[in-house]
Amino acid sequence: MPLTQDEQSPRPATGGPTEDTAPDGPTAPVPAAAAPTARRRKQRQTWRQAFRRDWQLYSLALLPLIFLAIFKYGPMVGNVIAFRRFRPGGSIFGDEWVGLRYIDMFINDPSFWHVFTNTVVLGGLTLVVGFPLPIVLALLLNEVRKKYFKKIVQSISYLPHFLSVVIVVGMLMQLLSLEGTVNQIIGAFGGEGIPFLQRPEWFRAVYVGSEVWQTVGWGTILYLAALTTIDDSLYEAARIDGAGRWRQTWHVTLPGIRPTMITLLILNIGMFLNVGFEKVLLLYNPLTYETADVISTYLYRVGLVSNNLSYAAAIGLFQALIGLAMVLSANLLSRRMVGTSLW
Amino acid sequence: MRVFRAANAAALVLLCAVMLYPFITVLAQSFSSAGAIKAGQVNVWPVGFNVDTYTAVMSNGMFWRNYGNTVLYTVVGTAIAMTLTTTYAYVLSKRHLKGRNALIGIAVFTMFFNGGIVPNYVLISSLGMKNTMWAIVLPNAISVFNLLVMKSFFENLPKDLEEAAQIDGLGWYGIFARIVLPLSKAVIATMVLFYSVQYWNDWFAAFLYLDKSELFPVTLFLRNLIAGASTSASEGAAAAGTTTALVSTNIQAVTMILTVIPILCIYPFVQRYFVSGVMLGSIKG
């Protein structure tokens, strides 16, 4: 994971905002004459000086910033319609304040809690199954001595990552159809054919299974990168101490990729509630809503199919806030407990 | 140890088989007759070999039209995304830059908190982008993950060349265009691959923002085939209205094959770049 591992290492333990977290947007005032704290080793530099020297760099950032403002921060602000009545064709920020009306509405909506539970279960299963498997695969690949064999396995296992979810669902539908391979195998053992995609009790298995199929190979790439950075002398030392393969893996390899594991775990926790919306939308149908309907598909139907935009925005905002809270707490927890964090 | 090696190799071979099997089945189905598929005879080898389905799909005007749209959206989208990502990543890679952490924070925050589908929809509609290409290519033009990979790649470039150029009086524009970009072919190739795959595979933006089937990308064409073919189509299928009867499995298979072929073709060539590109970027910033 690239992220900001470089900045995180030697943080002053004093807490409180350090200079690099200061909210210095381009409009921040110039604190030129403001009490220069002698402790700061970074030399003070005014905005005027910075601009004179680096105006070309700032100008390169301009287009991306405009893009982010419109397409990323715009919708965030657009979430105010969760608290306002929205009329299609009216202002994009809604027409009048209605307070927490829409929040009340979904909190008292039993179908919301139903899809909420489904989301947690589906997200939880995906995390529990999908997070460790790439680590296992990376460790297995790491044991392969023949270079070309390793390369071939890698190339093949990365491939599903590059497929459109439409294709994956199309493949699933064919493999799981009554005349598909899976049912042929069941038939060969004398079983009854199962229409998997029409059965709510099968949905979670199908979803998680296909998710693993698509992500397990690609998930190894960052672990393999981390594995190459482990110092060979550590293995040598372990061997001299009489450690076998297993103990080398346990005491050298796993600690070596621990920062990567934690980074990816935090990220996965943050994405926890955004279970593959597009895949569910393609894969589910009214027969499987019971287990398949998740928050995002529910709010999609409520908001964009039935046109209750404000209500759906309220649900979406709630989901996004939970996601943010989960990333922040996972990050905090891992910093406290293992000393690794995203920032 | 020997036993472990053999077991490990066997497990990995099995894994490859599982990874490849769906591709093989679809490929076999695309050359099989509809009857054989219906009878459940097609697994890894075509039954009732024919290329009629290919001829049928390829003579469908709408298919080619949508295929062309996909190419257009991919090229335009990737060009925009690369411009924005490369320039921003370069700016972020300059550690001395005042306000750099704020600039990074602005981007990273969008990774963990997003406006959500409804406000996005409202925004795109009110910008008048519905039923235009811009609804497809613009909203996802910066992927923060790609941005951060590029940023750490730039940070790892040797500094002395840039410093020498600076002494020679070259501005940041010149350094970026003449020194940094030529040194960054691996990461650029990787990012071009990532973005073009993203745009090539995208169907949902089109599903949401496009109503006219002549604007659809091929993924949406395929989705409508699949949705029309599954007995219980979801609500969206009715709106799409392109499906008349059940579409036979072999037509779906052919469309799937034709849709993934470009990815399968460039994949082996770009793969060596992306492994080194991503790894270099991710090892350490």
Side-chain angles (χ1 to χ4, degrees):
Chain A
M1 204 54 211
L3 292 189
T4 48
Q5 295 192 345
D6 46 331
E7 281 104 351
Q8 97 210 350
S9 16
R11 265 289 155 86
T14 49
T18 46
E19 67 217 318
D20 53 0
T21 55
D24 38 2
T27 52
V30 182
T37 34
R39 282 174 298 138
R40 299 212 166 164
R41 73 202 142 72
K42 217 189 247 177
Q43 71 175 61
R44 280 220 153 266
Q45 179 193 41
T46 64
W47 278 104
R48 188 193 299 266
Q49 286 164 347
F51 269 117
R52 186 171 305 148
R53 193 181 56 185
D54 294 328
W55 66 269
Q56 291 194 332
L57 281 178
Y58 288 113
S59 70
L60 282 177
L62 204 59
L63 268 180
L65 281 174
I66 293 171
F67 165 82
L68 289 171
I70 296 177
F71 290 102
K72 299 290 169 185
Y73 286 86
M76 284 183 208
V77 178
N79 267 313
V80 295
I81 65 168
F83 307 101
R84 293 168 71 88
R85 194 186 310 281
F86 177 81
R87 190 170 47 81
S91 156
I92 66 163
F93 299 120
D95 296 318
E96 50 169 329
W97 290 100
V98 293
L100 299 180
R101 203 189 113 143
Y102 295 110
I103 313 278
D104 267 354
M105 246 166 94
F106 79 71
I107 287 190
N108 295 312
D109 176 357
S111 30
F112 169 75
W113 291 107
H114 179 74
V115 297
F116 183 79
T117 316
N118 276 346
T119 310
V120 171
V121 172
L122 210 55
L125 283 174
T126 312
L127 188 66
V128 168
V129 179
F131 176 72
L133 284 178
I135 302 174
V136 175
L137 180 58
L139 292 178
L140 291 183
L141 279 170
N142 196 41
E143 298 297 325
V144 173
R145 289 286 160 272
K146 297 202 175 69
K147 271 257 163 61
Y148 69 93
F149 179 59
K150 185 176 173 184
K151 273 239 164 77
I152 292 172
V153 176
Q154 278 178 280
S155 307
I156 290 177
S157 63
Y158 294 162
L159 199 52
H161 171 81
F162 294 93
L163 291 188
S164 171
V165 60
V166 180
I167 305 240
V168 174
V169 170
M171 286 173 166
L172 274 175
M173 285 182 168
Q174 310 208 339
L175 289 172
L176 298 175
S177 68
L178 279 174
E179 57 276 0
T181 307
V182 176
N183 272 317
Q184 286 179 42
I185 295 172
I186 293 175
F189 286 101
E192 278 290 297
I194 303 170
F196 288 98
L197 297 175
Q198 270 78 43
R199 293 284 168 81
E201 66 271 25
W202 279 102
F203 184 83
R204 287 171 181 151
V206 169
Y207 176 86
V208 175
S210 66
E211 202 62 14
V212 167
W213 181 76
Q214 211 181 351
T215 56
V216 65
W218 187 250
T220 62
I221 199 166
L222 294 173
Y223 292 116
L224 290 172
L227 284 170
T228 60
T229 62
I230 297 177
D231 197 344
D232 271 337
S233 63
L234 289 176
Y235 286 109
E236 224 162 279
R239 263 197 300 276
I240 292 168
D241 290 348
R245 253 276 127 68
W246 267 114
R247 298 192 44 201
Q248 285 176 36
T249 305
W250 187 253
H251 292 291
V252 181
T253 315
L254 282 178
I257 59 174
R258 199 174 66 171
T260 314
M261 281 161 63
I262 290 168
T263 310
L264 290 178
L265 187 62
I266 297 174
L267 284 174
N268 279 331
I269 288 175
M271 310 293 166
F272 180 70
L273 287 187
N274 311 351
V275 280
F277 163 63
E278 294 185 14
K279 190 187 257 177
V280 176
L281 192 67
L282 288 166
L283 207 54
Y284 80 164
N285 58 55
L287 291 176
T288 50
Y289 278 1
E290 188 191 328
T291 52
D293 202 9
V294 292
I295 300 178
S296 41
T297 49
Y298 178 68
L299 77 86
Y300 164 77
R301 287 201 314 277
V302 169
L304 299 178
V305 181
S306 317
N307 250 319
N308 277 323
L309 290 170
S310 286
Y311 182 46
I315 299 178
L317 183 60
F318 174 76
Q319 184 187 12
L321 286 175
I322 292 191
L324 184 63
M326 286 175 68
V327 173
L328 292 178
S329 32
N331 191 49
L332 190 72
L333 210 66
S334 89
R335 180 158 54 195
R336 286 276 157 77
M337 295 179 51
V338 284
T340 315
S341 63
L342 292 184
W343 59 84
Chain B
M1 206 62 239
R2 259 242 174 81
V3 181
F4 171 78
R5 283 270 159 77
N8 189 18
L12 292 175
V13 169
L14 186 69
L15 176 94
C16 290
V18 172
M19 291 292 161
L20 289 177
Y21 185 76
F23 291 94
I24 295 169
T25 306
V26 172
L27 192 64
Q29 284 179 339
S30 71
F31 288 108
S32 301
S33 67
I37 300 174
K38 203 85 198 115
Q41 295 168 335
V42 183
N43 288 313
V44 292
W45 206 248
V47 177
F49 183 90
N50 67 82
V51 290
D52 299 348
T53 330
Y54 279 91
T55 337
V57 172
M58 287 173 147
S59 60
N60 180 340
M62 194 49 89
F63 172 78
W64 285 119
R65 176 121 201 200
N66 291 350
Y67 211 87
N69 288 337
T70 293
V71 173
L72 177 72
Y73 300 159
T74 302
V75 171
V76 175
T78 306
I80 293 175
M82 284 306 292
T83 312
L84 293 177
T85 308
T86 316
T87 50
Y88 204 49
Y90 182 64
V91 174
L92 298 187
S93 73
K94 289 284 157 265
R95 285 173 199 275
H96 73 270
L97 192 71
K98 196 171 169 68
R100 170 181 182 255
N101 284 299
L103 292 176
I104 293 175
I106 288 170
V108 170
F109 184 67
T110 66
M111 212 174 173
F112 299 113
F113 188 75
N114 59 65
I117 169 174
V118 172
N120 266 306
Y121 181 82
V122 172
L123 176 77
I124 298 296
S125 316
S126 64
L127 289 175
M129 289 183 180
K130 279 192 78 176
N131 284 315
T132 68
M133 170 172 75
W134 307 113
I136 314 297
V137 298
L138 280 181
N140 292 315
I142 290 186
S143 140
V144 179
F145 178 83
N146 292 351
L147 180 75
L148 294 175
V149 170
M150 267 197 133
K151 162 182 162 282
S152 30
F153 184 92
F154 288 145
E155 279 169 357
N156 286 330
L157 286 177
K159 297 275 167 289
D160 25 346
L161 272 177
E162 284 189 63
E163 275 159 16
Q166 217 166 3
I167 292 165
D168 288 348
L170 215 56
W172 288 117
Y173 292 159
I175 296 177
F176 179 57
R178 282 199 244 158
I179 296 179
V180 173
L181 287 184
L183 285 175
S184 310
K185 286 194 194 95
V187 80
I188 289 173
T190 312
M191 293 304 141
V192 167
L193 173 78
F194 285 179
Y195 277 121
S196 37
V197 167
Q198 174 192 316
Y199 282 110
W200 188 273
N201 285 340
D202 183 41
W203 68 283
F204 186 69
F207 179 64
L208 214 50
Y209 301 124
L210 304 180
D211 304 320
K212 302 186 183 124
S213 56
E214 66 266 24
L215 293 173
F216 287 176
V218 70
T219 43
L220 192 52
F221 178 90
L222 176 61
R223 183 249 166 224
N224 290 338
L225 281 188
I226 292 170
S230 79
T231 41
S232 40
S234 56
E235 302 84 331
T242 52
T243 47
T244 45
L246 290 190
V247 181
S248 59
T249 311
N250 51 352
I251 294 187
Q252 291 179 42
V254 168
T255 315
M256 279 159 73
I257 294 293
L258 292 176
T259 308
V260 290
I261 271 183
I263 293 178
L264 294 186
C265 289
I266 53 165
Y267 176 77
F269 299 102
V270 198
Q271 199 212 0
R272 65 196 173 99
Y273 286 114
F274 76 64
V275 173
S276 61
V278 173
M279 286 194 174
L280 251 182
S282 59
I283 283 172
K284 203 148 175 85

